[in-house]
Amino acid sequence: MSPRILVSFSPLRKRATIGGPMRMLAAAGMKSRIRGSGGGGSESDRSGPRNGRLMLPMWIILSSSLCLVVEGQMKLSPETVQKWAVSFGKEISALSTRYSGAKLLQKKYKDIEAAVKIEEVGGEELAKKFAEEMEEMLGRKMKSVKRLAEAAEDADLYHQYNETLMFEYFNSMLINTVDGNGNPLALGGDFALEKNEHFNKLPVNTQLSNIQVPTNVYNKDPDILNGVYMSEALNDVFIDNFQKDPTLTWQYFGSASGFFRLYPGIQWIPDENGVVTFDCRNRNWYIQAATSPKDVVIVVDVSGSMKGLRLTIAKHTINTILDTLGENDFVNIVAYSDYVRYVEPCFKGTLVQADLDNREHFKLLVDGLHVKGEGKVKDAMKESFKILNEAAALGQGSLCNQAIMLITDGAMEDFQSVFEEFNWPERRVRVFTYLIGREMTFAENVKWIACNNKGYYTHVSTLADVQENVMEYLHVLSRPMVINHDHDIIWTEAYMDSVLFNSQAQSLLLMTSVAMPVFSKKKETLSHGILLGVVGTDVALKELMRLAPRYKLGVHGYAFLITNNGYILSHPDLRPLYKEGKRLKPKPNYNSVDLMEVEWEDTEEKLRTAMVRGQTGTMALDVRASVDKGRRVMFLKNDYFYTVINETPFSLGIVLTRGYGQYIFIGNVSVEEGLHDLLAPDLTIASEWTYCETDIDPAHRKLSQLQAVVQYLTGKEPNLECDGQLLQQTLFDAVVTAPMEAYWTALMLNTSGMEEGVETAFLGTRSGLMRFQRYAGVEKRIGKSFLTSTDMENMFTLDHFPVWYRRASEYPAGQFLYYTPRRETRAGRIVIATTAVTVTVGKKTAIAGAIGVQMTLDMIESKFWAIASQPNDTDCSDIDGICPLRCDSFDIACYVIDNNGFVIISKERTDAGRFFGEVDGSVMTTLIRMGMFKRVSLFDYQAMCKMNLHSVNSARPLLSPFYGLASALKWFLSNFLLFLLEFNICGFWHTDHFADASAHKKRGDMLQPCDTEYPSFVYEPSVKETNSIIKCGRCQKMFVVQQIPESNLLMLVVQADCDCSRQYSPITMEPEEVKYIL
């Protein structure tokens, strides 16, 4: 027997018994097969025909024996793997229990069970209480806005317009700036600014408001000066409002002439070109307050005469009109030349809601319009009237104003008969006309159409004219409101006003605005219906959601808000931002995410329908909830409770999870006892929760929540408004968990018995209290970011409990759950072990908290490799399989994976944190087929995908398949058109602009909203162990899987010298874009 054959059949391995000669034949056969597979031919091929004939019977005998040898030589012993799993499980369990102190904490809560009571959380009662508190808070904002409107109207009433008025005001662009000689600029001067905690730490002046004027508006125009002078009266009202309601944020007055008065005053920061494109009249709060809901049909001339610049201006006019529409408006677009056509054939003959998605969809289609033929406006007008009349007859659309927007370079036909048939004498539909281009030949005809249909005529000769001229229609539509003096208060959808402050702190803040129109009350103008502007204030949705505190909702519970259109205002699963390079940016459709796209298990839309209708009720849903950024799935039974918030278009929903989430336990200790333990150095409380209201008194705004609690309990700040129930529970938890500090400290001081690699012990309770002990100094710690201020996933926040707390709550109390953080968190090579702590009174059990320990992966690995290796002198007589079995053998691969299939331990260090299906697709596929793992489909309706020119995807399946391109093209078009508006012809040739244009061409790198489906995998715990053989062409791979007791882990031992990658592709967790075919 050659030395090479002996290496192939190690004498240390016990294998199936085969006779001596047969073993020699098998060895010889193996040798021939190896050579043959190398492509050089077998020995028999080179020995001539006679030897070939002699070898043929040998190959027949050998082939049957070879299978036995191949299968037998790599037989893995399940008993050996089981022993390893049991030993490893005991070791890590003992390690986790010792260094976390879990048994001690559970005992401490067990000891006090007689002194606590457990109550069932009443969802309906909670929803009602939260809604009433939100109504009260929002009511205060509405009162502030009403005071502003009254003050503005009174100021205008007593103001006499002065054409030659000279008035110096603080222009927010020019304050605190000087010219080349060091002199203050006109309309500038010294304007005191101080950073303010309440206003996102921005420098502000709480004693004065100041004025912003768009770049395209002359800041000393008589209309501007008179309006600014008149509105100076609002300064005192701004300050008075803020004193009455210190939770108010920005207050403002947007003038119909274009200026914007903002309180508190700020330094307005222009873009890199010194341009301010912000115009308050374009903001949603202004448009919604200035007009009633409306149905609009845009009619655009695409005849041959509209070519070139005229078509460009027409397209920009359409886009600007679309930008003035909101969720309460309805729209369609008709193009005409020799014939009439809808720009979106799917919307033929109907009106669609003018939400963000539909507006962007229209903009994409408008960009594709081309000109040809002769313009015949008569048929287009007929079609438009039919759409509007049918909507009114069927009770569809806005059921309010109706308008046709005619965009043309001339009208030659006899169109009077159309108006006589469809609109006269009531003139219920207003017709607004936009004459495009410098040619004035048909101006009288176009003007006649508007004036005889209660509309407005405007001439748009350049791109720069579009903005101001389009805005005129809003003034006309507001006249009935002005004449009737209808001061309707409006609330906007959620938005991030990043344009307003050009500040990261502000741009990442979701808010809603409450606004109200301001009318002229002068007798001489009352019949003309003059809109002076709109007043409003912002409400940070984060502050509103503080009124539904997390501790009352439990570990998986949450609250959410939607509008009467079904769009999300606030929801813990709303993800309004995405990453572009290193910057966070708002998604194009971030404020039109529908409830059914977040609560997607509501397949019949029962929850959405009830909430949109403003109903009060409850329902239950089985949901697949994801944690750890979608990598892991939990199966929950959720109860939904919902009700309307009176005097607003909003509805509130709260979610309670059955099981532990149904109950809350209440304990009680004295303030003195609790305060002593609350001051321990290892203790913190949730900084984003409201234990005490620190935003009312400016003197309290710099206090942390813990400082505020201590000041209140010690009597130093008795006027603080604090949550008594939360403070009571926090003090109780502080007392019960206090012994952990001494326990952890004793372990740390016992250096001789301290395991190297145990870094942090931690615990958290439902009251948001946390304690942690660093066993290792920062210079030695691998998990340097764990439980720091940047590690938001592992902290209590306004939206969620820590990941380790949430995961522990769905696992049996007392048993540790182990996992490694996601790679992108850059937490380092660490393992987190966590377990729940419960309180039981009678038959009711509530979660008191979770406790755990963070260790280095290196330490866990070293313990595993030490266990998973049989020494050479092992007694193999009773072992059926390879013996001794060692995980460090080159032909054996050993893994430890968790219950979601993620690798914790592998020979390849880079495998840690990867999904096992990516490492070995053949074994994972087999485990799924055998039922040991289950694949679960999850959906993300807020995803962002790379732009695909052939894509037919959409975040809204009800829209045209072309929607997928709309968002990306919108960015390009809007930037390009703004560029044309803002720069002169010389600036056009600046190289920076060509660089920008080049960047936009890289569409493959652009992201667009999309829907995705992605898998998650869950271990079936009823299957404790399994083993199998995978056939992979010329070789077979055996593997053994064994559950590691008292944990969520599995041990896998796999034959590593059989490559199955050709037969089995890796299984990835990459999301796949959902394709919609209409």
Side-chain angles (χ1 to χ4, degrees), residues 135-202:
E135 180 186 343
E136 182 184 350
M137 177 187 177
L138 298 177
R140 293 198 301 269
K141 315 304 176 192
M142 290 189 280
K143 286 179 182 177
S144 297
V145 168
K146 286 178 182 177
R147 286 194 287 266
L148 287 173
E150 290 169 2
E153 290 181 352
D154 289 343
D156 175 71
L157 181 62
Y158 298 110
H159 173 72
Q160 295 296 319
Y161 188 88
N162 183 353
E163 185 73 36
T164 60
L165 177 67
M166 301 295 291
F167 176 67
E168 290 289 320
Y169 61 89
F170 286 113
N171 186 307
S172 58
M173 277 274 289
L174 305 175
I175 58 172
N176 301 332
T177 55
V178 295
D179 60 19
N181 298 320
N183 299 316
L185 296 176
L187 302 182
D190 291 334
F191 192 79
L193 295 172
E194 184 179 354
K195 284 189 177 182
N196 191 298
E197 298 282 333
H198 183 67
F199 294 95
N200 304 302
K201 299 181 181 179
L202 288 174

Side-chain angles (χ1 to χ4, degrees), residues 596-780:
M596 70 179 193
E597 295 172 330
V598 180
E599 301 289 348
W600 47 268
E601 298 279 19
D602 180 27
T603 53
E604 297 179 9
E605 297 187 32
K606 290 181 180 179
L607 176 65
R608 181 190 186 278
T609 301
M611 294 186 71
V612 166
R613 291 176 177 173
Q615 296 174 356
T616 296
T618 181
M619 66 176 292
L621 283 176
D622 292 315
V623 302
R624 288 162 281 177
S626 65
V627 291
D628 204 13
K629 298 292 184 183
R631 294 204 317 169
R632 308 177 189 276
V633 65
M634 295 185 299
F635 300 93
L636 306 176
K637 182 82 171 178
N638 284 346
D639 288 311
Y640 291 79
F641 305 89
Y642 50 87
T643 189
V644 69
I645 301 176
N646 294 325
E647 305 301 321
T648 75
F650 307 146
S651 283
L652 168 71
I654 68 167
V655 179
L656 300 175
T657 302
R658 292 187 188 176
Y660 291 139
Q662 289 178 278
Y663 303 108
I664 183 171
F665 84 93
I666 300 169
N668 197 9
V669 294
S670 67
V671 171
E672 293 75 17
E673 186 182 5
L675 188 57
H676 173 269
D677 292 323
L678 196 64
L679 296 173
D682 69 328
L683 185 147
T684 63
I685 58 176
S687 60
E688 292 189 8
W689 291 14
T690 305
Y691 297 80
C692 292
E693 183 55 73
T694 58
D695 205 29
I696 296 175
D697 187 338
H700 297 152
R701 286 180 182 145
K702 292 187 178 181
L703 292 176
S704 69
Q705 282 297 312
L706 184 56
Q707 289 170 337
V709 168
V710 173
Q711 295 270 23
Y712 175 74
L713 293 176
T714 55
K716 294 179 180 178
E717 292 290 349
N719 295 324
L720 274 164
E721 293 182 12
C722 298
D723 186 329
Q725 184 181 345
L726 180 55
L727 289 191
Q728 177 183 323
Q729 192 60 47
T730 304
L731 291 174
F732 183 80
D733 288 340
V735 171
V736 178
T737 61
M740 300 310 302
E741 180 188 7
Y743 177 86
W744 290 335
T745 303
L747 284 177
M748 186 176 65
L749 294 176
N750 182 17
T751 54
S752 61
M754 189 75 195
E755 290 268 7
E756 187 173 347
V758 180
E759 296 192 337
T760 303
F762 57 89
L763 67 84
T765 70
R766 182 167 177 157
S767 62
L769 177 146
M770 281 183 62
R771 291 183 185 270
F772 57 88
Q773 174 69 56
R774 303 292 192 188
Y775 289 127
V778 65
E779 67 285 349
K780 292 184 178 180

Side-chain angles (χ1 to χ4, degrees), residues 202-417:
L202 288 174
V204 299
N205 186 324
T206 55
Q207 300 304 310
L208 285 172
S209 62
N210 59 6
I211 304 296
Q212 179 268 339
V213 183
T215 303
N216 63 334
V217 176
Y218 178 44
N219 58 25
K220 290 188 177 180
D221 182 275
D223 287 346
I224 297 293
L225 291 177
N226 276 271
V228 171
Y229 181 78
M230 176 273 292
S231 64
E232 283 284 298
L234 295 181
N235 262 321
D236 291 339
V237 186
F238 286 143
I239 296 170
D240 186 54
N241 278 345
F242 191 38
Q243 288 174 345
K244 288 178 178 176
D245 181 6
T247 64
L248 276 173
T249 56
W250 309 98
Q251 301 175 70
Y252 40 81
F253 169 60
S255 168
S257 58
F259 74 83
F260 182 61
R261 181 178 287 280
L262 178 67
Y263 173 86
I266 64 164
Q267 174 90 50
W268 203 282
I269 302 173
D271 63 21
E272 62 273 13
N273 300 298
V275 174
V276 174
T277 58
F278 176 87
D279 188 325
C280 62
R281 296 167 297 178
N282 293 337
R283 310 309 288 174
N284 205 13
W285 51 265
Y286 185 99
I287 294 165
Q288 283 185 235
T291 63
S292 302
K294 48 197 170 291
D295 301 333
V296 175
V297 177
I298 301 172
V299 181
V300 58
D301 182 353
V302 289
S303 62
S305 62
M306 287 285 289
K307 64 183 179 180
L309 181 60
R310 290 184 181 182
L311 184 61
T312 301
I313 295 172
K315 290 178 178 180
H316 187 38
T317 302
I318 295 172
N319 290 343
T320 306
I321 293 171
L322 288 172
D323 285 338
T324 66
L325 305 179
E327 297 171 0
N328 297 319
D329 303 318
F330 291 79
V331 67
N332 207 334
I333 303 178
V334 173
Y336 72 91
S337 53
D338 298 309
Y339 61 97
V340 177
R341 67 180 186 273
Y342 288 83
V343 296
E344 173 51 271
C346 295
F347 297 159
K348 181 177 180 180
T350 189
L351 294 167
V352 296
Q353 188 178 17
D355 60 16
L356 181 65
D357 295 306
N358 284 334
R359 296 199 306 266
E360 299 309 319
H361 179 60
F362 275 129
K363 287 180 183 180
L364 171 65
L365 298 174
V366 165
D367 182 61
L369 290 175
H370 300 286
V371 299
K372 68 174 182 179
E374 182 182 349
K376 296 184 177 179
V377 69
K378 190 172 181 179
D379 291 341
M381 294 300 289
K382 279 185 178 181
E383 187 66 23
S384 302
F385 278 115
K386 286 178 182 177
I387 296 171
L388 295 172
N389 288 346
E390 186 173 341
L394 297 174
Q396 298 174 346
S398 68
L399 304 178
C400 197
N401 293 308
Q402 291 194 323
I404 294 173
M405 310 294 194
L406 176 61
I407 302 169
T408 181
D409 63 346
M412 297 180 289
E413 293 178 88
D414 179 14
F415 32 72
Q416 182 170 334
S417 60

Side-chain angles (χ1 to χ4, degrees), residues 35-54:
R35 288 180 176 175
S37 66
S42 66
E43 290 181 0
S44 61
D45 293 335
R46 292 192 289 271
S47 58
R50 184 173 179 274
N51 283 345
R53 285 194 299 272
L54 288 173

